[in-house]
Amino acid sequence: MTMTTTYAAKIEDRSLGHLLYALMSGFPLLLLPVLLSLFISVSQRQSHGNPLLASHLRWQRHSNVAFLGLLVLGYCVPLTWLSLSIYLFGIIWFCHRIIKGWLSLLDGLEI
């Protein structure tokens, strides 16, 4: 094994993870990027031996599903103040998940 093949084996393609975090960060645009990100991450169930990308895809799927669930819950609650509180909590929590996940991906850490 030469030096170039060893180095090439260590490089992992993280571009899909970066694309999905970018789509998730565009959630104020009528939730279309979140739904597109969820669709892509669900369609990429097999990460082809890349545990780093697999952990981030799982993190993104759970984040997207929970965020959409909080939005549905906020819509179903009849009290306006409680509904707005659920929306605010969901947005802050989702932003935290995006930032934490994206920074972990940049550092090359599984999440």
Side-chain angles (χ1 to χ4, degrees):
M1 197 183 274
T2 65
M3 179 67 152
T4 57
T5 58
T6 312
Y7 181 70
K10 290 182 180 180
I11 296 176
E12 297 175 341
D13 185 23
R14 301 178 194 163
S15 59
L16 178 63
H18 290 292
L19 171 70
L20 295 179
Y21 280 121
L23 285 172
M24 288 169 59
S25 67
F27 70 91
L29 301 173
L30 300 175
L31 296 177
L32 293 178
V34 173
L35 295 174
L36 181 61
S37 171
L38 181 61
F39 176 73
I40 292 171
S41 73
V42 167
S43 68
Q44 295 290 322
R45 284 235 183 244
Q46 301 298 328
S47 65
H48 305 292
N50 189 345
L52 175 69
L53 188 58
S55 73
H56 282 275
L57 289 176
R58 186 175 47 253
W59 173 266
Q60 292 168 353
R61 271 193 304 270
H62 293 158
S63 299
N64 287 337
V65 169
F67 181 61
L68 293 172
L70 282 171
L71 292 181
V72 168
L73 177 67
Y75 182 76
C76 293
V77 172
L79 300 172
T80 304
W81 67 269
L82 186 57
S83 178
L84 291 176
S85 298
I86 292 171
Y87 288 148
L88 182 63
F89 171 76
I91 289 170
I92 291 171
W93 175 82
F94 192 63
C95 288
H96 165 73
R97 298 276 290 197
I98 292 170
I99 293 168
K100 183 177 179 183
W102 211 340
L103 290 176
S104 296
L105 183 65
L106 286 172
D107 291 339
L109 302 173
E110 290 185 20
I111 197 156

